Amino acid sequence: MPNVVFITGATSGFGRACAIRFAAAGWSLILTGRRAERLDELKEQLGGQVPVHVAPLDVRDHAAVRALVEGLPAEFRAVKVLINNAGLALAPGRAQEVDLNDWHTMIDTNVTGLVNVTHALLPSLIENGAGASIVNLGSVAGQWPYQGSHVYGATKAFVRQFSYNLRCDLLGTGVRVTDVAPGLAESEFTLVRTGWNQEAYDKLYRDTTPLQPEDIAEQVFHVATLPPHININRLEIMPVRQAWAGFAIDRD
């Protein structure tokens, strides 16, 4: 029976890089995302290496998530690794300046979407048992506050605590849970956050060396393929050229 990985948000960034990394190791892929044309491109690119099943999906729609999981072809049903990558950041301004709809979108995607997919796949992961893994893509924003993080950081704090709580509930099943928390990383994620502002994107990464999606994919693959008796609870990853800021002070 081949190993099967289920990846949400596979159309760009970390998710796409994870698909490529797991395919290189011979894993069968279930790839989901909201952009069907990009999923088709990935299937064409990777389908010659490994079996690939693609499905357009909005993780916020619990009925659609359930239907997808229940309708998986037989050769893809034994999911061994779930990578909860789908997520986004919006409204990088101060809390008092942003649109409430952006807050709702982040909560619905980063929290509700993650919960929907995890709940639907728990039976398969538990049936796989020892060595099965849930890898949740969190963020350093879930641990370290900064201006403009407001609801985004709060959703990633949920990811961290949900991962810890799952570990408690899954004790005895063999299923591992890891919160992978990247710092400054260069991907389309930032373009989405800035409303596709290329100038803002370029300014963020200018004259430094951020993480790349392939860096994160390598770490996700590592934690998901360790010997079955090892669980990395949380893996926080920053580029060497990023560190924590000092306290903010309001002055006259």
Side-chain angles (χ1 to χ4, degrees), residues 17-226:
C18 284
I20 293 170
R21 180 63 184 90
F22 277 79
W27 285 63
S28 296
L29 309 175
I30 304 168
L31 307 178
T32 73
R34 299 183 66 181
R35 291 173 285 191
E37 70 284 356
R38 290 202 181 183
L39 291 173
D40 291 339
E41 290 170 4
L42 260 181
K43 185 172 183 178
E44 183 175 353
Q45 176 184 347
L46 302 176
Q49 297 176 245
V50 294
V52 180
H53 179 75
V54 299
L57 179 68
D58 183 343
V59 295
R60 298 174 296 178
D61 185 341
H62 69 91
V65 170
R66 179 65 61 183
L68 169 59
V69 171
E70 291 178 351
L72 286 171
E75 63 269 30
F76 291 96
R77 287 181 186 166
V79 175
K80 187 171 184 178
V81 171
L82 165 61
I83 302 174
N84 276 315
N85 170 71
L88 78 170
L90 299 171
R94 298 187 185 203
Q96 61 269 33
E97 301 166 352
V98 305
D99 188 332
L100 179 60
N101 289 324
D102 288 337
W103 281 7
H104 287 167
T105 299
M106 287 187 281
I107 293 167
D108 292 345
T109 306
N110 301 353
V111 175
T112 304
L114 180 145
V115 167
N116 287 342
V117 177
T118 302
H119 190 268
L121 284 169
L122 277 176
S124 176
L125 294 161
I126 292 170
E127 185 174 351
N128 252 295
S133 300
I134 300 170
V135 182
N136 295 323
L137 265 295
S139 170
V140 297
Q143 179 76 19
W144 309 106
Y146 60 89
Q147 189 178 93
S149 182
H150 41 78
V151 165
Y152 173 69
T155 65
K156 293 305 181 178
F158 173 89
V159 173
R160 183 185 74 242
Q161 192 62 36
F162 182 58
S163 300
Y164 291 166
N165 291 345
L166 276 177
R167 282 273 290 119
C168 296
D169 290 341
L170 292 172
L171 185 65
T173 67
V175 179
R176 305 180 286 199
V177 187
T178 301
D179 170 25
V180 172
L184 182 69
E186 184 176 12
S187 76
E188 191 176 278
F189 176 94
T190 299
L191 283 174
V192 173
R193 187 174 200 183
T194 60
W196 299 92
N197 184 331
Q198 187 66 48
E199 183 179 353
Y201 178 96
D202 294 340
K203 181 179 179 181
L204 178 63
Y205 301 117
R206 185 168 53 237
D207 300 326
T208 192
T209 310
L211 299 169
Q212 297 298 315
E214 294 76 15
D215 300 326
I216 302 305
E218 192 62 40
Q219 298 308 310
V220 170
F221 183 79
H222 171 69
V223 301
T225 56
L226 286 167

